[in-house]
Amino acid sequence: MLEEQIIVAVDKMTRKTRGFRSYRPTDLDAMVELDAMCFEAPFRFSREAMRRFVEAENAWVLVAADRKGLVGFCIVHREKTNGTEIGYVVTIDVDERRQGEGIGKKLLGDAEMWVRSWKGAGMLLHTFTQNERAVQFYENRDYRRLDVQREFYGAGLDAAIYWKDLAMRRG
């Protein structure tokens, strides 16, 4: 029964979404526009910041598009902390009219596979502590809250720091 529900949900998503693909420079304006729809001013990126994030040498970017255009994207950076390579989720944006269809889950899942492909230890991210939808999204995918970084987004705007271990288990 659960398997049938999953198949129906995936089929519903793939009928509406043409596909997932790598970033193209022509996507930049649509990404900035979607980011502005998804986030309030202190949390959204300027066009220049978005360009820096997506065009960084250590960036992995996946976009989701349908016939009408871009409906979601994910930016992850390959970083080194304390000598360990990790993935850092810069952002995941999904058009609010398309949320709940599994697009964000697919974007994050593919990002995790990318980190595993180069044997990254795990995935780190920040999210606004009061963004309940994002908190639930990450916690439902086995991300564990490590700490809170005060005023990460500005005065009075704290970020929860989340981590997911992606290291291959041995034995």
Side-chain angles (χ1 to χ4, degrees):
M1 181 67 129
L2 179 60
E3 186 174 316
E4 290 173 6
Q5 290 173 340
I6 291 169
I7 291 169
V8 169
V10 169
D11 185 51
K12 180 180 175 185
M13 183 184 76
T14 54
R15 273 185 282 145
K16 290 184 179 177
T17 304
R18 259 196 324 214
F20 295 84
R21 60 172 173 74
S22 296
Y23 165 78
R24 299 174 189 152
T26 55
D27 293 326
L28 183 62
D29 289 335
M31 291 171 74
V32 172
E33 186 178 317
L34 180 57
D35 195 59
M37 287 173 40
C38 291
F39 298 103
E40 296 295 320
F43 307 106
R44 70 175 66 130
F45 296 120
S46 68
R47 188 174 195 284
E48 279 310 305
M50 185 73 75
R51 180 191 306 275
R52 281 193 314 273
F53 287 127
V54 299
E55 295 179 0
E57 286 184 29
N58 63 332
W60 176 90
V61 184
L62 186 65
V63 300
D66 65 13
R67 288 184 208 103
K68 296 177 184 176
L70 193 115
V71 296
F73 66 91
C74 178
I75 305 170
V76 178
H77 284 179
R78 183 175 181 168
E79 298 185 356
K80 193 174 256 188
T81 180
N82 299 326
T84 302
E85 288 196 317
I86 65 166
Y88 178 77
V89 177
V90 176
T91 192
I92 295 180
D93 293 32
V94 175
D95 186 318
E96 66 181 17
R97 297 166 293 196
R98 300 294 301 275
Q99 291 180 3
E101 294 180 18
I103 296 169
K105 184 178 179 181
K106 166 87 169 127
L107 292 167
L108 184 60
D110 283 8
E112 291 173 0
M113 285 192 311
W114 176 68
V115 172
R116 284 186 178 102
S117 76
W118 42 264
K119 298 183 180 23
M123 193 82 86
L124 185 72
L125 64 94
H126 290 82
T127 192
F128 181 46
T129 54
Q130 295 177 32
N131 184 342
E132 294 174 14
R133 190 171 186 137
V135 166
Q136 182 179 23
F137 175 79
Y138 292 116
E139 289 180 355
N140 286 345
R141 280 146 195 87
D142 300 323
Y143 281 77
R144 182 173 47 92
R145 187 182 288 212
L146 298 179
D147 204 351
V148 172
Q149 188 167 347
R150 300 284 176 221
E151 301 189 341
F152 181 80
Y153 297 105
L157 302 173
D158 302 337
I161 304 168
Y162 279 90
W163 170 259
K164 183 174 183 179
D165 184 13
L166 297 176
M168 298 297 224
R169 306 274 188 245
R170 296 182 192 248

